[in-house]
Amino acid sequence: MLLTITTTRTPATDLGFLLHKHPEKAQSVALSAGTAHVFYPEASPERCTVALFAEIDPIELVRGGGTSLTQYVNDRPYAGGSYLAVALRAAFTTALAGRCAVRPELVDEPFALEIRVPSLSARGGAEVVHKLFEPLGWTVTAIPIPLDPRFPEWGDSRYVDLTLTGTHRVTDALRHLYVLLPALDGGKHYWVGQDEADKLLRAGDGWLAGHPERTLITNRYLDRRRPVVRYALSRLAEADDVPAEAEALVTELPDKPESLASQRHGSVLAALRAAGARRVLDLGCGSGALLRVLEKDRSFTEIVGVDVSAGALDVAEKRLKDGSRVTLRQSALTYADPALAGYDAAVLMEVVEHVDEERLPALEHAVFGVAAPRTVLVTTPNAEYNRLFEFLPMGHFRHADHRFEWTRAEFRAWADGVATRRGYDVRYLPIGPEDQVSGPPTQLAVFSTTKEVAA
């Protein structure tokens, strides 16, 4: 198995700092059934190529514990797939984590990259390769490999010769490969459990939730093990990045078996319509899932998405279609921005729990004091419902970035206080199926005021 990564960003040898592998040395890393070798076929200031070559013993691979392989003759040693992803992680652990102690400034710098996997297992052929990599900004060349060149009538195999070109952070490129190589392969060589789902969520953080093929990727990466797939998809849905094709259920009390994220979108959409909002702020818009829902509704004449993450806004910009009505703005929600004043409504969907509690007064001032729209919608997880989520360990939050998760009483205490201090009325609505004891999975507060919108 071979994978090469080439850059022409000057000086190109900076790639060695990011990968923690010196261009003048060949290095090897032990794998459970073989060895991964890292070396540089070329290394000059103008062009640098690193090669990952994995030597796998197919017999040792089958004999190893925890494997789902049953045949000594298999393609794991020869075609990029799940074992190449394992080799990638073993060889470039620190780079995958986005760390570079010697040159930390390089981590966030985009590099012009060309990645080649001469033999990649791709169930579904070149078409699926394009569907998985192109939404991430890669230019894809996937040449099908014939079953046997001597007998063209036999057609093509499921393997392709893959070349990717694009400009990305190196850590992002490695994470794309780490997830999508085994997803294209669609068959893990080892047992898949919840720990594998957690690896997927960590590697896919920041891009998988917004990927239009996230369900396909999750199913294939997790070997279609249904309980684990459901767990991973529910965690991704908590980020509110549903595929653009998902239809929002337009009701404040959704009762159809829609995904929780879709029900949130529908409830927010219905509340905005009921308030007669035309100019709307999506505060903490992330990669634009709600923006996509709002831009489909022509009743909203102006939509502004605000987020602190430039990377998330880049993804949102690629997903949006109507640049005349939707604009994006980078800003922290704890920053009082007078430019956000004068709008009819503001939405903070699954946002407040990502803010440190001691910073909530600043958020309150920025949203209710400075922006001060007539309607503010706030959704947040209901901590009491967490016990009903399969695979969510007791005492854990639904997302690693959550600073807190409120019970219904805690949320109401905060919202009632804000309403009193800022001159708003507030009412509460459930989102998602209600449990008799624990309530709904998501809670919604609708703040409204009759005072004049700030100029």
Side-chain angles (χ1 to χ4, degrees):
M1 273 184 301
L2 179 66
L3 179 150
T4 60
I5 303 174
T6 300
T7 184
T8 54
R9 174 259 187 205
T10 306
T13 48
D14 280 350
L15 184 63
F17 288 106
L18 284 169
L19 298 178
H20 292 256
K21 298 292 185 289
H22 198 287
E24 295 181 5
K25 298 179 181 179
Q27 301 182 47
S28 300
V29 180
L31 305 174
S32 59
T35 307
H37 306 282
V38 179
F39 57 94
Y40 289 77
E42 56 181 339
S44 69
E46 295 76 27
R47 183 180 173 89
C48 184
T49 299
V50 62
L52 173 64
F53 178 64
E55 289 186 298
I56 306 300
D57 183 340
I59 296 178
E60 190 62 33
L61 182 61
V62 172
R63 287 175 175 171
T67 180
S68 59
L69 293 177
T70 58
Q71 301 295 325
Y72 289 147
V73 179
N74 58 72
D75 66 354
R76 300 299 91 173
Y78 315 109
S82 66
Y83 216 94
L84 183 57
V86 169
L88 193 76
R89 186 184 67 207
F92 304 132
T93 302
T94 308
L96 269 166
R99 298 195 303 269
C100 181
V102 179
R103 297 282 302 280
E105 74 279 3
L106 294 177
V107 172
D108 291 324
E109 183 176 337
F111 275 58
L113 299 172
E114 179 181 291
I115 297 173
R116 181 156 183 237
V117 184
S119 178
L120 172 67
S121 176
R123 297 179 188 273
E127 179 183 355
V128 177
V129 180
H130 284 270
K131 288 170 65 176
L132 297 198
F133 279 103
E134 285 182 344
L136 299 173
W138 292 103
T139 299
V140 179
T141 302
I143 302 173
I145 297 174
L147 282 169
D148 191 326
R150 297 172 298 174
F151 303 97
E153 65 273 16
W154 289 2
D156 295 326
S157 68
R158 73 163 187 261
Y159 305 98
V160 300
D161 181 346
L162 173 67
T163 302
L164 304 172
T165 56
T167 301
H168 296 271
R169 297 192 314 159
V170 171
T171 183
D172 293 334
L174 294 177
R175 290 177 182 180
H176 297 166
L177 292 169
Y178 180 72
V179 171
L180 297 185
L181 293 184
L184 284 164
D185 181 24
K188 287 291 183 72
H189 66 279
Y190 54 88
W191 179 258
V192 172
Q194 186 186 338
D195 59 336
E196 198 65 17
D198 290 332
K199 291 179 188 175
L200 172 66
L201 293 169
R202 288 193 295 269
D205 185 34
W207 63 270
L208 180 56
H211 198 294
E213 300 294 338
R214 72 170 185 181
T215 301
L216 173 65
I217 294 168
T218 303
N219 268 289
R220 285 187 170 203
Y221 184 92
L222 297 175
D223 208 21
R224 294 177 174 81
R225 301 197 181 274
R226 300 175 82 178
V228 188
V229 170
R230 286 198 300 270
Y231 161 72
L233 288 176
S234 69
R235 291 285 302 276
L236 289 170
E238 285 302 311
D240 291 321
D241 290 312
V242 298
E245 295 77 16
E247 292 295 330
L249 181 64
V250 184
T251 169
E252 288 195 352
L253 297 173
D255 57 3
K256 293 184 180 180
E258 302 284 337
S259 71
L260 181 56
S262 182
Q263 292 186 48
R264 270 197 296 269
H265 293 159
S267 295
V268 166
L269 184 58
L272 290 173
R273 287 175 174 173
R278 295 292 180 266
R279 303 174 66 238
V280 179
L281 300 170
D282 183 3
L283 304 179
C285 65
S287 54
L290 179 62
L291 294 175
R292 286 295 303 272
V293 174
L294 296 179
E295 75 169 347
K296 292 179 182 178
D297 191 322
R298 305 301 300 186
S299 67
F300 302 117
T301 58
E302 183 181 356
I303 306 164
V304 179
V306 181
D307 203 275
V308 72
S309 169
L313 293 174
D314 287 342
V315 175
E317 186 176 22
K318 294 174 183 177
R319 299 175 69 189
L320 295 172
K321 297 180 179 179
D322 191 348
S324 64
R325 290 190 303 130
V326 184
T327 57
L328 302 176
R329 185 180 183 89
Q330 185 178 9
S331 181
L333 301 188
T334 53
Y335 171 68
D337 188 350
L340 301 181
Y343 287 82
D344 299 326
V347 180
L348 293 90
M349 190 169 65
E350 307 300 282
V351 169
V352 294
E353 64 273 10
H354 292 270
V355 179
D356 292 323
E357 288 193 86
E358 61 268 22
R359 299 292 295 157
L360 289 178
L363 180 144
E364 175 188 330
H365 172 68
V367 175
F368 295 88
V370 176
R374 287 196 182 97
T375 301
V376 180
L377 309 181
V378 179
T379 78
T380 192
N382 170 20
E384 298 165 79
Y385 196 90
N386 286 356
R387 67 179 184 87
L388 300 177
F389 281 111
E390 189 179 13
F391 292 119
L392 184 63
M394 184 66 67
H396 284 232
F397 293 152
R398 298 185 198 177
H399 191 281
D401 189 53
H402 285 184
R403 304 311 201 254
F404 59 85
E405 288 179 0
W406 280 326
T407 63
R408 286 168 290 176
E410 290 169 333
F411 181 47
R412 290 188 178 218
W414 174 80
D416 287 346
V418 171
T420 299
R421 289 188 294 271
R422 302 295 175 177
Y424 282 78
D425 296 321
V426 61
R427 61 191 177 99
Y428 302 95
L429 294 169
I431 299 178
E434 285 194 84
D435 179 75
Q436 288 186 347
V437 176
S438 301
T442 299
Q443 41 194 343
L444 166 64
V446 180
F447 297 84
S448 57
T449 182
T450 57
K451 67 183 181 180
E452 288 297 315
V453 177

